[in-house]
């Protein structure tokens, strides 16, 4: 079986207009809340955040969105607590907290 060669020329987008279309609103279009089993939740530190939108781009559930003040919010009803946003944030602006902390 032939696999296509990996594209090693990929560079992360530098400007907002270069990002693909993603979520821009709370994840209310999903029918049911589904985060009841989450043990860790991501918390964004607005002071450290550079607004690069990498977390928004990479969240597999599309639950990170911009609020009306231009900051970021996470829809905890749908966030699974996977931690990808925290792992990928270059500013270390997202910490994972235990539920109930
Ligand atoms: S990846 Fe980190 S710095 Fe970038 S927007 Fe998300 S929280 Fe902010
Ligand atoms: S923990 Fe996972 S599901 Fe929740 S906001 Fe971060 S990337 Fe999205």
């Amino acid at each position: 079986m032939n696999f296509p060669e990996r594209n090693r020329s990929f560079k992360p987008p530098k400007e907002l207009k270069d990002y693909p279309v993603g979520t821009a609103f709370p994840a209310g279009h999903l029918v049911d809340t589904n985060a009841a089993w989450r043990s860790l939740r991501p918390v964004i530190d607005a002071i450290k955040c550079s607004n690069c939108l990498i977390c928004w781009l990479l969240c597999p559930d599309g639950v990170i969105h911009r609020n009306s003040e231009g900051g970021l919010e996470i829809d905890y009803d749908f966030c699974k607590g996977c931690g990808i946003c925290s792992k990928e944030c270059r500013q270390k602006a997202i910490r994972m907290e235990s539920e109930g902390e």
Side-chain angles (χ1 to χ4, degrees):
M1 184 181 288
N2 289 333
F3 292 101
E5 237 180 83
R6 283 176 85 185
N7 181 2
R8 296 187 186 282
S9 61
F10 172 78
K11 303 245 181 344
K14 290 200 169 126
E15 295 182 39
L16 192 56
K17 67 177 175 48
D18 297 330
Y19 282 87
V21 175
T23 51
F25 49 84
H29 57 288
L30 299 172
V31 282
D32 268 326
T33 56
N34 51 8
W37 42 264
R38 185 183 58 221
S39 59
L40 296 171
R41 65 164 51 199
V43 177
I44 298 175
D45 182 335
I47 305 289
K48 289 185 187 170
C49 174
S50 65
N51 237 334
C52 70
L53 297 182
I54 292 287
C55 57
W56 169 82
L57 180 66
L58 296 181
C59 172
D61 288 303
V63 299
I64 300 175
H65 62 276
R66 280 175 174 262
N67 61 26
S68 54
E69 283 111 43
L72 292 177
E73 279 180 10
I74 296 170
D75 189 333
Y76 290 115
D77 282 345
F78 298 97
C79 163
K80 310 287 197 312
C82 67
I84 290 174
C85 54
S86 176
K87 177 99 175 144
E88 296 295 333
C89 174
R90 295 172 191 165
Q91 306 298 324
K92 304 287 176 218
I94 306 180
R95 66 181 185 283
M96 299 301 289
E97 281 187 358
S98 287
E99 284 294 343
E101 246 180 53

